[in-house]
Amino acid sequence: MKSQRFANTAMGVLAWVVALLIFFPILWLLLTAFKTEQQAFTVVPNFFFSPTLESFKTALAQGSGYWHYAWNSALTAVASTVIGLTLAVPAAYAMAFYPNKRTDFLLVWMVSTKFIPAVGVLIPIYLVYSAVGLLDNALGLTLLFTAMNLPIIVWMVYSYFRDIPKDIVEAADIDGASIMQTLFKVVLPLALPGLASTGLLALILAWNESFWSITMTDHSAATLAVYIASFKSAEGLFWAKMSAASVLAIAPIIVLGWFTQRQMVRGLTFGAVK
């Protein structure tokens, strides 16, 4: 009994230590955002200082264009998530309930595309986008985010559909339901928690994407990643202002994650307990 209690206590302490290590960069980012540039640039870490809102005022100043970048981030993230789910649901439905001999290969091939470094396909995509006029374009960035997240979305939706007993689908077929009726009236309601968590993950991935945002946009379709990078200039890095900009950029997604954490956990554990 004592050994078990000690093991539980040790695991609890270890969990807290790991959680603090994961959270510390966010804490340090938040602290730096409330410092002056001189305080943020000190070599010796400074935990005790007089907080200031100057960096936030600069980041939110009219000339900074924060709301322009935030709108582009929201537009491209939400649009790519909706398009991704629209494409992934029928594909995952077909592979989960009507598989063929190529289904496993197709799933592996899709996830293998995530192994390709983004910089490896940058030049051909850049040339194509330049030719068709999609550079610095919200539609072009949305399509990139969709293609980037689609393999993950398909895999997650497919795994949730696989947890639904096939007997339910077969019963709907026997009752005369069409494929679309079975999908929308039987399968999707059962998989709703999983779809919600998939959508939230895709939204977060698109919101945080920086490589394609920085390389494929200039100003018109630039997202918050470009906004944060703008605080790096020839004069150097403005750590306090960049930290304040980063806090403003991640705040919406943290708030969203906080209010939807129950749905996220429910979706991620969907089908885990039979």
Side-chain angles (χ1 to χ4, degrees), residues 4 9 12 28 35 39-40 56 60 63 78 99 106 137 141 172 176 188 222 225 228-229 238 241 259 272:
Q4 182 65 33
T9 303
W28 189 250
K35 294 179 179 180
Q39 292 171 336
F56 285 98
L60 288 173
V78 172
L106 183 60
N137 185 287
L141 201 59
L188 288 185
I228 295 172
F238 296 93
K241 296 180 180 63
F259 283 104

Side-chain angles (χ1 to χ4, degrees), residues 89 157 161 164 182-193 195:
V89 165
V157 176
F161 283 174
I164 298 175
T182 303
L183 173 61
F184 285 101
K185 294 184 178 181
V186 178
V187 175
L188 288 185
L190 294 174
L192 191 58
L195 293 177

Side-chain angles (χ1 to χ4, degrees), residues 2-241:
K2 290 183 178 180
S3 60
Q4 182 65 33
R5 186 178 302 172
F6 175 79
N8 292 337
T9 303
M11 290 298 294
V13 172
L14 180 61
W16 273 104
V17 170
V18 172
L20 289 174
L21 288 175
I22 295 174
F23 178 71
F24 182 77
I26 300 177
L27 175 62
W28 189 250
L29 177 72
L30 187 62
L31 291 175
T32 306
F34 287 95
K35 294 179 179 180
T36 63
E37 289 297 340
Q38 291 77 13
Q39 292 171 336
F41 201 70
T42 56
V43 177
V44 180
N46 185 9
F47 289 92
F48 303 99
F49 56 92
S50 298
T52 178
L53 295 176
E54 283 302 318
S55 295
F56 285 98
K57 291 179 182 178
T58 303
L60 288 173
Q62 187 174 0
S64 69
Y66 168 79
W67 297 109
H68 168 77
Y69 297 112
W71 165 251
N72 286 335
S73 288
L75 175 65
T76 54
V78 172
S80 64
T81 300
V82 172
I83 296 173
L85 285 173
T86 303
L87 296 174
V89 165
Y93 176 78
M95 289 187 287
F97 297 106
Y98 304 98
N100 56 46
K101 61 181 181 180
R102 296 183 180 87
T103 298
D104 292 339
F105 170 78
L106 183 60
L107 286 167
V108 173
W109 174 80
M110 281 193 300
V111 77
S112 69
T113 60
K114 298 296 295 179
F115 301 154
I116 304 174
V119 69
V121 294
L122 172 61
I123 293 178
I125 291 178
Y126 188 92
L127 293 176
V128 170
Y129 267 46
S130 178
V132 299
L134 288 179
L135 287 178
D136 199 18
N137 185 287
L139 174 60
L141 201 59
T142 299
L143 295 177
L144 278 174
F145 288 169
T146 303
M148 176 187 71
N149 292 331
L150 191 58
I152 297 176
I153 298 175
V154 171
W155 260 94
M156 290 186 67
V157 176
Y158 170 79
S159 66
Y160 295 133
F161 283 174
R162 283 290 301 271
D163 288 329
I164 298 175
K166 289 187 177 181
D167 295 342
I168 297 178
V169 176
E170 292 174 357
D173 291 339
I174 293 173
D175 289 340
S178 64
I179 293 179
M180 297 301 292
Q181 288 175 327
T182 303
L183 173 61
F184 285 101
K185 294 184 178 181
V186 178
V187 175
L188 288 185
L190 294 174
L192 191 58
L195 293 177
S197 64
T198 302
L200 287 171
L201 178 61
L203 183 69
I204 292 171
L205 291 175
W207 182 277
N208 292 333
E209 173 60 33
S210 61
F211 177 81
W212 292 111
S213 299
I214 293 174
T215 55
M216 304 297 286
T217 64
D218 182 24
H219 180 266
S220 296
T223 64
L224 286 169
V226 181
Y227 165 72
I228 295 172
S230 66
F231 289 92
K232 177 182 178 181
S233 66
E235 299 175 5
L237 288 173
F238 296 93
W239 292 109
K241 296 180 180 63

